[in-house]
Amino acid sequence: MKIKNKFNNLKENITKKIKHIKQEHTISKYIKNNILFLTFVITSVINATILRFFCMRMLENYLSIKPIIADLIVAVLIGSFGYFFKPKNRFTYYIIANIFLTAICMINSVYYTFYTSFASVSMLSLTQYIGDVGDAVVENVIQLKDLVYILSPIILTIVHLKLKKKNYYKKVEIKSIRKKRGFRTLAASGVLTLLFIVTMTPLDVSRFAKQWNKEYIVMRFGIYVYQANDVITSIKPKINSMFGYDKANKEFKDYFANVEEPKTNKYTNIFAGKNVIVIHAESMQTNVMDLEFNGQQVTPNLNKLAQEGMFFSNFYSQVSVGTSSDSELTYNTSLMPTKSGTAFVSYSDREFNSTPKLLKEKGYYTFSMHANNADFWNRRVMHKNLGYDRFYSKQDYKVTKETTIGLGLSDKEFFAQSIPKIQSINQKYSNWYGLLIMLTNHTPFSDTEKYGDFPVDIKETITKEDGTTEQVTYPYMEGTKLGNYFKSYHYADAALGEFIENLDAAGLLENTVLVIYGDHDARLPKKEYNRLYNYDKNTDDTLSKDDPNYKEYDSYQYELGRKVPLIIWTKDMQGTKLNQEITNVMGMYDVMPTLGNMFGFYNKYQLGHDIFSIKEDNIVVFPNGNWVTNKVYYNSQKEAYLSLTNEPISEEEIRKNNEYTNKLLDVSNNIIVFNLLDDKKE
Ligand code: GP9
Ligand code: MN
């Protein structure tokens, strides 16, 4: 019995060993037979990884496996086609593919050093930049680290020469075996792709589709997938504009044939010749201006400006998926965001009539300032296209860990560093127009310890029966996203107040008009507004719906609550006819016509209106087809509306406004997609 057992064990061990040897044999055989393919794949993945490591020096990037898998997928996919070539031609295929992938890495490596961003083929059409940067790139930017990628084709060539010496290419390879290997490798890349797709997060998907957050895409998808996606997103708008030009052009002409020339009114030219500072106030909503916590206003500075200046209290931003960039587009051009993609990214080569361009014709020097990466929302390209003479971005500011809040340089620091820049512009130019884009008050509003102390709880002093007092605190908005938004907003408001004080001290407010617009709402959950407006101290929860004090905050209230402030202010406005609240409904697309009337410029192809001419007849159209007038808010998805006054609403009115909305959105989209303003240049 014992002997039998021993024998069985021995047998098992031997079979295991044979299996192992066989396995080893197949692995080494695989490596031997596919050495060219493997060299191609490995060097391509290493190149891509080196690029990522050199460019983005952060732990998150170093530890990320996803981009390596994505690079591997691309290399295996491209590599698999090598098998369909005869052995003697295979090297030619691999070396061409390898040089191509190496070039992608090298170009991006150089580009990143220069722009702290990754390259885009759409930049190729912007030849004016090549002249600007070409020499500088050669002289200052190409460094040793950009040349390391060349090792990849060198290694591949060495391997090839060794194989040639060993007569590797003389071996006969049956066609069917070649094909089988090719398809198997192709299938392997397919399986890897599937694995990759199932691990994608919704944020990955949305950022991938938008493509502008280049660093994120490279960090998740690797450089090769980024570049392929870049080619597709760059070509898409060209394809969109290939069909339907004539129809679009006719509709466009008809639309503007019916538009009346602007009328003059008491605000015409009142600001002609004045300098302008425009503040793009990140995520500022109007409804927060009414709020107080423990007797402290959230926005004392904004409220003061609204009190002293011209305050448009029924003003909406009209953004789509392009958020900040969409509001810049509409503010600057009086056009609506595009129906697909974003104008700033997909249509950055189109011709636009813009406020800076029209002021430049009047002799103004124009500039924009934003202490974030210049490629964020493709601003580097778009600000130039919109007519800003100079864009001061992150590289023009000193950003340290201490001065960073949330997405980047804190607003207080941004404003402080902007003052001397504006001062020197003021010394050089007699008329100037500048846009300053704020950053700190940005979702997710989680850097709370840096916003400064602003409790959003309720503190009450209770007198007890024995006459002694006690302080009680109810958490209220503490710990909620909305509460954190108020803290962040309070910080941004303080930054704004400080900025205006410092502008004044620097003598920069004497001949200056300040324009402040909220770029869009904070996009926070409806549920938290319910807590804000219906808080029950006893239960630390929201009041029940049947409580007499319960105020309904439904989806209409939410939509109406997305209003953002618009304030036009000068130092000496208080007490004049300009010091007033304008309550007529107004949209971002009405700003250009309204300012145009005040500063004396006119864009024939504007979609909005001068609010002082159109007054109560105005309508604000939203990119999703919703619209609002003084009388009614219409929701196009639900095909339902909310009446805002006691006046009856006729079906005819709804139909006409829907027709107007659809036409306006079509014309706006066509202007951008078909570049219709390009041949309208006078
Ligand atoms: C980024 C900032 C924010 O630079 O303008 O953009 P958003 O996320 O609001 O569109
Ligand atoms: Mn924004």
Side-chain angles (χ1 to χ4, degrees), residues 354-410:
S354 66
T355 299
K357 277 190 193 166
L358 292 170
L359 282 175
K360 260 162 73 146
E361 285 174 12
K362 294 191 156 290
Y364 278 66
Y365 174 76
T366 60
F367 61 93
S368 58
M369 294 173 161
H370 181 47
N372 201 2
N373 188 329
D375 283 302
F376 216 101
W377 283 128
N378 201 25
R379 285 188 178 105
R380 185 198 307 283
V381 174
M382 266 310 268
H383 279 207
K384 189 158 191 158
N385 191 12
L386 288 173
Y388 291 98
D389 289 319
R390 170 87 155 87
F391 174 28
Y392 295 83
S393 67
K394 190 175 178 180
Q395 65 206 54
D396 300 288
Y397 289 83
K398 198 168 163 276
V399 187
T400 63
K401 218 175 152 204
E402 289 69 42
T403 55
T404 295
I405 304 184
L407 280 193
L409 186 64
S410 72

Side-chain angles (χ1 to χ4, degrees), residues 262-293:
K263 298 183 196 97
T264 55
N265 52 43
K266 62 178 176 183
Y267 301 98
T268 309
N269 290 331
I270 49 163
F271 292 142
K274 291 226 183 228
N275 298 328
V276 194
I277 289 180
V278 183
I279 295 169
H280 170 118
E282 179 60 46
S283 302
M284 287 197 181
Q285 288 177 196
T286 308
N287 52 10
V288 181
M289 292 169 72
D290 299 328
L291 299 179
E292 275 186 15
F293 290 87

Side-chain angles (χ1 to χ4, degrees), residues 2 10 116 137 155 301 325 332 398 428 443 519 593 619 673:
K2 260 188 180 175
L10 195 70
T116 31
V137 166
I155 292 171
N301 294 292
S325 75
N332 278 293
K398 198 168 163 276
K428 244 167 116 186
T443 194
D519 69 339
I619 168 169
V673 172

